[in-house]
């Protein structure tokens, strides 16, 4: 299939993953179970997002999560749905959520828990009241022997066995990589399945568009300010939704660069390494792009904490390099 989908070559997410798994000798098919749980959970979350205003689940609950941010009702609903769907899968040992202070240990390696799934249940949820696209981001790690459950999953991003996101936008889109390119699926509401629409996505180069919260310019480093003023003089355009999944999805399909640098308010950066930066960096790299933070490859960062924050620059290689030129 060549980036085109018709009713004649309809392929569901599950059948695609199964057929990909069969290409690997010794594959057990168990990864398919994880993906099917993510598929089920995100269909349920997507439904809640679309009915949020009607079901009166817009707004915050008055509590602050581990990130110090106010929790939306839908953050909690999405978190519960994912915990429930993935928790039922025999091979999932640990679940770690951006919304929970500590990871949940479901079963040990000896009990069959071979994978950890880390996720941001509803990224960009502060945009829900204005119906902007929001998303779920996930990262899958193979569980390593380690002391505590937290130590076992504190792995650098290059060890992820899969990563993806679901964007609840004008359509519900699932983007997935298992380390062999990036595939995109769209939820066909009529049949209730994610169907394959694009295989082996590649980020277009040459798109002079940056995506950042430009109101923070005075709080950015001198290097980033220099890049922005260079971009202003060199024919760049800007697009910023303020919902990482939607912004990165646009970059994946159209090119350009997304950056959330360190600021004087957030000297480590705002976005989370394990739940946001790593999965997005794996997708972007698998699509031929580049993901860096403070000059280092995001996927090489050895995490020191589950909720660690980082700066993020993600995009086509040429556009990321254009920023790095200003940081030398
Ligand atoms: P969240 O995980 O609490 O929703 O926060 C992450 C979001 C990203 O989706 C987005 O890129 C960023 O925060 C926007 O931040 P800002 O409002 O500072 O521009
Ligand atoms: Mg988030």
């Amino acid at each position: 299939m060549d980036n085109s989908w018709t009713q004649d070559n309809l392929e569901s997410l599950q059948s695609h993953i199964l057929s990909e798994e069969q290409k690997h000798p010794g594959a057990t098919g168990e990864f398919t179970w994880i993906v099917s749980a993510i598929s089920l959970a995100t269909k349920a979350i997507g439904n809640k997002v679309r009915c949020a205003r009607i079901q009166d689940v817009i707004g915050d609950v008055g509590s602050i999560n581990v990130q110090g941010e106010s929790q939306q009702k839908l953050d909690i609903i999405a978190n519960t749905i994912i915990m429930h769907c993935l928790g039922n899968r025999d091979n999932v040992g640990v679940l770690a959520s951006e919304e929970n202070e500590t990871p949940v240990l479901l079963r040990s390696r000896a009990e069959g828990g071979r994978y950890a799934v880390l996720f941001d249940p509803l990224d960009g949820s502060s945009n829900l009241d204005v119906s902007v696209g929001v998303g779920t981001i996930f990262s899958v790690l193979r569980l390593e022997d380690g002391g505590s459950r937290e130590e076992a999953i504190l792995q650098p991003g290059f060890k992820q066995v899969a990563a993806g996101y679901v964007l609840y936008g004008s359509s519900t889109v699932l983007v997935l990589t298992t380390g062999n390119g990036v595939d995109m699926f769209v939820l066909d509401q009529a049949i209730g399945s994610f169907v394959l629409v694009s295989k082996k996505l590649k980020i277009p180069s040459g798109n002079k568009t940056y995506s950042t919260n430009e109101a923070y310019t005075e709080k950015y480093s001198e290097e980033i300010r220099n890049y922005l003023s260079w971009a202003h003089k060199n024919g760049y355009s800007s697009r910023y939704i303020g919902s990482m999944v939607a912004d990165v999805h646009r970059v994946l399909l159209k090119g350009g660069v997304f950056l959330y640098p360190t600021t004087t308010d957030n000297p480590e950066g705002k976005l989370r390494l394990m739940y946001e930066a790593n999965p997005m960096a794996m997708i972007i790299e698998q699509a031929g792009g580049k993901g860096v933070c403070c000059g280092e490859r995001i996927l090489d960062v050895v995490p020191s904490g589950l909720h660690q924050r980082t700066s993020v620059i993600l995009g086509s290689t040429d556009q990321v390099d254009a920023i790095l030129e200003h940081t030398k």
Side-chain angles (χ1 to χ4, degrees):
M1 190 187 301
D2 224 13
N3 279 358
S4 61
W5 170 78
T6 67
Q7 291 287 347
D8 299 335
N9 52 17
L10 188 66
E11 187 173 4
S12 73
L13 172 64
Q14 266 85 354
S15 65
H16 179 70
I17 298 293
L18 265 175
S19 68
E20 287 293 305
E21 266 196 336
Q22 279 161 9
K23 292 178 190 163
H24 302 284
T28 57
E30 59 180 351
F31 185 67
T32 312
W33 277 104
I34 296 180
V35 174
S36 82
I38 291 169
S39 162
L40 178 63
T42 55
K43 281 182 218 170
I45 295 168
N47 193 41
K48 283 284 176 195
V49 166
R50 291 193 197 295
C51 299
R53 182 69 68 182
I54 300 164
Q55 295 179 356
D56 194 23
V57 283
I58 299 270
D60 60 52
V61 282
S63 58
I64 302 292
N65 68 8
V66 59
Q67 317 290 339
E69 289 154 359
S70 96
Q71 270 186 315
Q72 303 289 306
K73 292 177 192 167
L74 267 174
D75 284 326
I76 295 174
I77 292 170
N79 199 35
T80 307
I81 291 173
I82 298 185
M83 285 287 178
H84 175 75
C85 293
L86 277 161
N88 281 336
R89 297 301 194 248
D90 290 348
N91 55 352
V92 176
V94 178
L95 286 174
S97 166
E98 189 187 291
E99 296 296 329
N100 295 348
E101 191 162 354
T102 52
V104 178
L105 178 64
L106 296 160
R107 34 194 91 74
S108 66
R109 288 267 304 266
E111 291 165 334
R114 296 186 55 212
Y115 295 96
V117 184
L118 291 75
F119 57 92
D120 179 354
L122 206 53
D123 181 68
S125 55
S126 62
N127 290 311
L128 277 166
D129 53 350
V130 288
S131 303
V132 163
V134 292
T136 297
I137 311 173
F138 57 91
S139 160
V140 184
L141 292 166
R142 200 166 273 123
L143 276 170
E144 293 190 344
D145 289 323
S148 69
R149 71 189 85 160
E150 183 158 338
E151 282 160 8
I153 55 177
L154 282 180
Q155 302 176 33
F158 70 82
K159 292 196 171 179
Q160 293 171 107
V161 293
Y165 61 78
V166 176
L167 169 62
Y168 312 107
S170 55
S171 57
T172 302
V173 180
L174 187 149
V175 169
L176 176 71
T177 180
T178 55
N180 184 27
V182 179
D183 299 326
M184 181 167 89
F185 305 81
V186 171
L187 180 62
D188 185 330
Q189 306 275 358
I191 60 173
S193 287
F194 282 105
V195 293
L196 182 65
V197 292
S198 296
K199 270 171 98 167
K200 307 269 185 273
L201 284 169
K202 288 289 167 215
I203 303 183
S205 58
N207 182 343
K208 292 162 80 168
T209 304
Y210 62 78
S211 180
T212 196
N213 191 334
E214 201 146 5
Y216 299 153
T217 302
E218 294 307 311
K219 299 174 179 177
Y220 288 164
S221 67
E222 191 184 350
E223 289 88 351
I224 297 295
R225 289 204 302 272
N226 287 343
Y227 160 75
L228 288 172
S229 76
W230 169 85
H232 295 162
K233 293 177 196 124
N234 282 277
Y236 273 69
S237 184
S238 109
R239 291 283 183 278
Y240 188 68
I241 297 166
S243 190
M244 187 194 199
V245 177
D247 279 315
V248 171
H249 188 62
R250 187 191 55 253
V251 168
L252 177 70
L253 298 191
K254 295 193 168 181
V257 62
F258 169 83
L259 62 154
Y260 203 117
T262 58
T263 65
T264 46
D265 293 340
N266 287 305
E268 307 295 324
K270 175 187 176 186
L271 300 174
R272 271 64 38 146
L273 177 67
M274 307 291 285
Y275 308 106
E276 295 166 324
N278 273 341
M280 290 308 201
M282 181 177 183
I283 291 164
I284 292 292
E285 282 200 6
Q286 285 290 317
K290 205 164 176 172
V292 297
C293 56
C294 306
E296 188 180 2
R297 181 185 179 223
I298 292 172
L299 296 183
D300 284 339
V301 175
V302 178
S304 54
L306 205 46
H307 296 287
Q308 176 174 342
R309 292 176 190 262
T310 180
S311 61
V312 165
I313 303 176
L314 293 163
S316 66
T317 300
D318 62 327
Q319 296 306 316
V320 173
D321 286 345
I323 297 178
L324 297 181
E325 279 296 310
H326 291 82
T327 61
K328 284 177 183 166

